[in-house]
Amino acid sequence: MTATDRPARRPLCSDVSLALGEDPVGTAPHWQEVTVLELDVPVWATVRDVANWTPEHHQLFERLRGKVEASGAGFGLLMSAPATRGQPLRVRHYTLGAGGYTRRDYASDLPQTDWARGLTDTLLDPQNLSGWDEQSVPAGPDIHVCTHGTVDAACGRYGVPVYQHLADSGVRAWRTGHFGGHRFAATAVELPSGLLWAHLTPALAVQVARREVPPAQVARNLRGFSGLPPVAQVLDRDLLVQHGWSWLEAHRWADVDGDDVTLHYDWQGERGHVRATVTHDLLSVIDSSHSATQSDVRQYRVAWH
């Protein structure tokens, strides 16, 4: 086989997204709670391997599905590699409130293979947390960078250098499994702010973590605030650009009625709301770096009332 006979390599989905000028806002998942399981990288595959789940695992996710259906409140599940490989199971649990999420940390003497206990006790049966060892919570942000190259090559190509540069720069960063949005690699979840980021470079990731750039400069890197539904994330970005980073201290919640969105806020002693109509166009993008399949994604437009 000659070089001309070889099939052309597929483009990375994140490169295609950038080339098309895709605006990532409104793609952050909507979470009321987030549980972070500290798991060694090889364990990530076992969590994702539905075919080999035990009956306990299936029952757990049925209960979680029932919780979401009953309350309408979504949850996040992140898997991050601990600093020390092979350590017992640790979990970090975040709950939505004013100014983002409140974090609580728990350690156990359980093996990491008991990861289902971490989900059960944080998301379903919190009374069981009395049996865990609650840890002090460090100050500052945690940047969870998707480096899961086996799910999509773009996250391996772009996520690993971003994670490494953050860690080398003294930012608390976590090598994290797939959480969606690989076409935005390098993509990251920032907690406790609840912001999701897109198309980060190593240098930009550090600037964002340290708030060394104005929000207007990184607006097109923002996927959204996970404490709000997607269409409200679009309004929230505009307000972040308008007010600056201190806007993240606000308690924000939204009412959505079709295209009409009301974003409520409680900020700096003032309670108010803004209203807008949010419409969208469609942009065709490839689904992943491993497939030529395309999907139409929403590109939002805001008309303020």
Side-chain angles (χ1 to χ4, degrees):
M1 177 182 289
T2 67
T4 56
D5 294 326
R6 297 192 189 104
R9 184 190 307 181
R10 295 191 187 279
L12 295 178
C13 57
S14 57
D15 292 341
V16 174
S17 173
L18 270 175
L20 291 172
E22 180 183 1
D23 185 350
V25 76
T27 64
H30 186 195
W31 295 331
Q32 295 295 318
E33 299 176 82
V34 185
T35 291
V36 184
L37 303 172
E38 293 190 19
L39 303 175
D40 296 334
V41 174
V43 184
W44 296 356
T46 66
V47 178
R48 293 176 54 84
D49 186 11
V50 178
N52 287 308
W53 277 356
T54 66
E56 175 196 12
H57 295 153
H58 285 285
Q59 183 181 35
L60 163 62
F61 280 93
E62 281 298 318
R63 290 185 65 194
L64 287 170
R65 186 177 299 109
K67 173 182 177 177
V68 172
E69 290 175 352
S71 66
F75 66 90
L77 164 59
L78 301 179
M79 300 178 291
S80 292
T84 303
R85 185 169 178 172
Q87 71 176 26
L89 180 64
R90 297 171 61 102
V91 298
R92 304 192 299 279
H93 184 220
Y94 295 82
T95 52
L96 183 63
Y101 294 78
T102 299
R103 169 180 167 178
R104 299 181 74 174
D105 288 18
Y106 300 93
S108 74
D109 56 5
L110 299 168
Q112 293 182 18
T113 50
D114 276 355
W115 54 266
R117 279 280 302 278
L119 289 180
T120 300
D121 292 358
T122 53
L123 297 175
L124 293 170
D125 300 321
Q127 68 275 8
N128 294 343
L129 290 172
S130 60
W132 294 67
D133 182 14
E134 187 164 1
Q135 308 285 293
S136 60
V137 174
D142 290 84
I143 312 296
H144 302 82
V145 184
C146 182
T147 61
H148 211 159
T150 56
V151 174
D152 194 283
C155 293
R157 171 78 64 84
Y158 297 121
V160 171
V162 165
Y163 157 73
Q164 194 62 59
H165 189 65
L166 284 164
D168 291 345
S169 300
V171 177
R172 197 163 56 246
W174 298 85
R175 185 181 177 187
T176 302
H178 175 68
F179 50 76
H182 36 261
R183 72 179 183 276
F184 302 124
T187 183
V189 178
E190 177 189 320
L191 290 166
S193 72
L195 299 183
L196 272 76
W197 294 101
H199 300 306
L200 293 174
T201 64
L204 184 59
V206 172
Q207 290 178 310
V208 164
R210 293 177 175 167
R211 305 297 191 242
E212 294 175 344
V213 289
Q217 188 173 324
V218 291
R220 297 280 294 197
N221 295 92
L222 185 59
R223 295 180 58 186
F225 168 47
S226 60
L228 293 170
V231 290
Q233 294 168 15
V234 186
L235 275 65
D236 188 64
R237 181 178 68 173
D238 283 4
L239 294 170
L240 175 62
V241 168
Q242 177 183 343
H243 296 296
W245 293 114
S246 63
W247 175 250
L248 299 180
E249 301 167 4
H251 183 200
R252 294 104 79 196
W253 66 101
D255 297 320
V256 178
D257 182 10
D259 292 339
D260 294 323
V261 183
T262 302
L263 179 60
H264 304 269
Y265 62 86
D266 193 343
W267 181 52
Q268 297 182 346
E270 177 185 353
R271 176 167 289 191
H273 65 269
V274 294
R275 292 193 178 98
T277 298
V278 181
T279 56
H280 64 269
D281 299 318
L282 294 176
L283 178 69
S284 183
V285 298
I286 60 173
D287 291 336
S288 77
S289 302
H290 308 145
S291 170
T293 304
Q294 295 192 328
S295 296
D296 290 333
V297 299
R298 296 183 175 188
Q299 299 287 273
Y300 292 102
R301 296 192 308 270
V302 178
W304 293 95
H305 293 180

